[in-house]
Amino acid sequence: MGFSRFLASNGHSGVTAFVDSDPALQDKQVNGISVVSPQSLPVLREQYPSLMIVIAVALKEQEIIQMLGDMNFGSDEYKAYSNYCTDFYTIDVVGTCNLKCPSCAHGSEGMESPRGLMPFDNFKKVVDKAISETGIVSHISLFSWGEPLLHPKLGRMVDYLHQNGVAAAVSSNLSIKEDKLLRKLIQSSPEYLKVSLSGYYPDAYNQTHTGGDINLVKSNLYRLRYLIDKYQVTTLVDVNYHLYTNNCGKNLRKMKALCDELGFLFSTIYSLVMPIERLISHCKGVENSQLDRLRSLLLVDIDEGIGASSKVEINGCPFRDNQININWDLTVPVCCIVFNRNPDIMVANNYLKTSMTKIDAAKREVKLCGQCMAFGLPAYNMGFNRDRWAEIAGTKEIVDS
Ligand SMILES: C[S@@+](CC[C@H](N)C(=O)[O-])C[C@H]1O[C@@H](n2cnc3c(N)ncnc32)[C@H](O)[C@@H]1O
Ligand code: SF4
Ligand code: SF4
């Protein structure tokens, strides 16, 4: 999606189609562009003799190159996006949340962070600096630990990204009553809007999205459909369902049916435990009764997830190496999955006054990273080896008929 906006804003003809092996995406439109299966590639080549395939993936780049070779595509017929775009920016425009999900830092005891909103002027300066320091900035995520829909200028932030040829990604719990804000956001047409939830009925949802109101979320999903149609925008809505033992039966089926009815993408994730500080304590054997209550709801417990994901070898840490995460108050943590403002994990006190060279150098000095990698936490947080996670989940007792 970022690449597509990058092309359009740099005077190139657009993207012909997105190619994805996920059947849930095939035959759908993403930002008004059709998604086709990899098997359609030879047909596309017939139709478009100067077709160029751009491999823009977070994972499995080598596998895709191999597959293209097997389909007789020459190396002059594809390019890896990772050779051109290496830095991915996340701007946490809101440093607080209206919910207290027990899996999140906001819902766990002992986690503290200053609360506030990034002023719009600072936001513009952050974007300007990112663009001036990085070869290509094709997309920026406007969330990390906060709830972005609490920012009254979120729509204007999306507009500013678009004015600069940058695509916008937003993730929200959508348990908000701000009609005007939602309307303005949709008018600004962010490329990607993830809606995070964990149930269809309050009984299940309230346990894991504590403080939220699933009926309000559902009414906002209808409202989203209405606004998208009214303003004729192409925002991709991805309803991301967090799986637990108490919500993967009837709750899941009902939410999937609702998303099908509304024409939204429906994706699932085995719920993780966040943030890194809590995971490290767990790995060190520190007892935590609050965490134990959450663990009883997980389909894949922390150690099981770490074990499954550690089967995938990674060099370094993708969160440290490819991400630049800027907090609402301009501080820069080493990655998006640490939460506390411990000086040992901050790599800059003011992003606007610190060069990228300095930020990169400071990231290499963070001692916590050694421990985190030794415990296998980056791979766990990426959810690597999902097939194994699914096998483990399949052995668990489900309490949602
Ligand atoms: C901390 S949230 C902040 C954004 C927003 N408040 C939300 O919940 O979508 C950042 C991302 O973490 C994801 N997330 C939250 N809890 C999760 C969990 N238990 N397992 C996996 N992902 C989770 C959300 O889907 C969201 O995209
Ligand atoms: S996961 Fe999102 S909605 Fe839940 S507490 Fe964290 S920031 Fe808020
Ligand atoms: S090693 Fe851990 S703490 Fe360091 S950047 Fe990666 S995920 Fe974050």
Side-chain angles (χ1 to χ4, degrees):
M1 288 183 267
F3 178 64
S4 170
R5 178 159 287 271
F6 176 79
L7 280 188
S9 46
N10 284 277
H12 298 282
S13 61
V15 168
T16 307
F18 289 123
V19 183
D20 204 296
S21 58
D22 183 350
L25 278 166
Q26 285 160 19
D27 302 324
K28 293 237 162 67
Q29 297 266 312
V30 168
N31 297 168
I33 298 164
S34 305
V35 186
V36 299
S37 74
Q39 286 67 40
S40 310
L41 278 169
V43 182
L44 282 177
R45 176 164 54 181
E46 297 266 304
Q47 276 179 311
Y48 303 93
S50 59
L51 185 78
M52 175 57 68
I53 300 167
V54 178
I55 308 167
V57 288
L59 301 172
K60 302 194 177 173
E61 188 178 279
Q62 277 314 312
E63 240 174 76
I64 293 169
I65 291 175
Q66 172 77 41
M67 183 202 73
L68 289 173
D70 295 346
M71 292 170 98
N72 294 323
F73 281 93
S75 57
D76 56 338
E77 292 179 279
Y78 59 81
K79 286 191 191 298
Y81 195 44
S82 58
N83 290 336
Y84 300 86
C85 189
T86 48
D87 296 329
F88 299 105
Y89 286 86
T90 292
I91 309 178
D92 205 8
V93 296
V94 175
T96 184
C97 187
N98 51 334
L99 268 58
K100 283 188 175 298
C101 306
S103 63
C104 177
H106 289 292
S108 44
E109 288 157 8
M111 299 289 150
E112 271 309 321
S113 218
R115 290 157 186 258
L117 306 179
M118 180 177 275
F120 186 57
D121 268 356
N122 278 356
F123 174 79
K124 289 200 289 188
K125 287 179 193 155
V126 167
V127 173
D128 294 350
K129 178 171 182 280
I131 292 173
S132 72
E133 276 184 318
T134 308
I136 299 177
V137 180
S138 62
H139 63 280
I140 292 182
S141 299
L142 299 178
F143 63 95
S144 181
W145 284 115
E147 172 45 53
L149 268 161
L150 298 179
H151 203 301
K153 301 221 167 105
L154 185 64
R156 279 181 66 194
M157 289 173 166
V158 174
D159 292 341
Y160 191 71
L161 291 183
H162 288 170
Q163 282 155 23
N164 284 281
V166 178
V170 175
S171 179
S172 169
N173 58 47
L174 215 64
S175 185
I176 48 131
K177 292 188 186 131
E178 297 290 339
D179 285 1
K180 275 196 195 140
L181 233 157
L182 194 58
R183 180 183 296 267
K184 172 66 192 99
L185 177 67
I186 294 308
Q187 282 174 322
S188 299
S189 186
E191 276 69 10
Y192 179 75
L193 172 56
K194 182 187 202 184
V195 179
S196 312
L197 44 76
S198 57
Y200 184 86
Y201 296 110
D203 278 359
Y205 178 87
N206 290 346
Q207 289 186 52
T208 44
H209 267 81
T210 313
D213 179 345
I214 190 61
N215 288 326
L216 176 61
V217 177
K218 283 187 271 188
S219 69
N220 278 332
L221 286 173
Y222 276 100
R223 190 159 182 77
L224 262 185
R225 178 76 269 159
Y226 164 75
L227 293 169
I228 288 172
D229 291 347
K230 178 175 165 84
Y231 296 113
Q232 300 273 297
V233 298
T234 58
T235 300
L236 176 69
V237 178
D238 176 9
V239 176
N240 188 242
Y241 194 96
H242 302 175
L243 295 164
Y244 292 94
T245 52
N246 67 343
N247 71 3
C248 52
K250 189 172 179 194
N251 277 275
L252 177 95
R253 291 192 298 276
K254 291 284 287 183
M255 187 51 79
K256 164 121 184 32
L258 176 61
C259 293
D260 289 347
E261 178 193 329
L262 295 175
F264 295 155
L265 200 65
F266 180 79
S267 59
T268 57
I269 182 162
Y270 294 106
S271 283
L272 300 165
V273 171
M274 307 183 291
I276 282 290
E277 292 91 330
R278 196 157 54 147
L279 288 165
I280 289 192
S281 291
H282 166 80
C283 291
K284 286 180 172 171
V286 178
E287 305 241 328
N288 182 333
S289 54
Q290 193 203 23
L291 180 58
D292 289 345
R293 280 195 294 282
L294 169 67
R295 286 174 62 201
S296 68
L297 288 172
L298 294 175
L299 279 161
V300 179
D301 200 359
I302 305 169
D303 301 326
E304 293 172 326
I306 292 173
S309 296
S310 65
K311 302 281 178 275
V312 176
E313 267 186 41
I314 52 171
N315 281 330
C317 169
F319 295 100
R320 183 189 60 180
D321 301 340
N322 302 330
Q323 268 194 8
I324 299 108
N325 195 75
I326 299 131
N327 287 328
W328 68 272
D329 60 359
L330 298 175
T331 55
V332 182
V334 63
C335 68
C336 65
I337 42 182
V338 295
F339 184 77
N340 288 341
R341 296 295 173 83
N342 179 339
D344 293 351
I345 54 162
M346 302 311 281
V347 294
N349 288 327
N350 185 331
Y351 170 74
L352 295 176
K353 293 188 177 156
T354 318
S355 70
M356 267 314 295
T357 318
K358 277 199 171 153
I359 289 175
D360 281 338
K363 281 184 175 186
R364 307 276 144 201
E365 302 297 320
V366 175
K367 292 201 177 63
L368 186 87
C369 291
Q371 271 184 23
C372 178
M373 286 190 230
F375 285 130
L377 298 179
Y380 167 80
N381 275 280
M382 295 292 279
F384 281 156
N385 199 2
R386 178 157 167 140
D387 289 351
R388 181 65 196 129
W389 284 61
E391 276 172 21
I392 296 167
T395 64
K396 299 293 162 71
E397 194 181 334
I398 283 161
V399 281
D400 182 25
S401 53

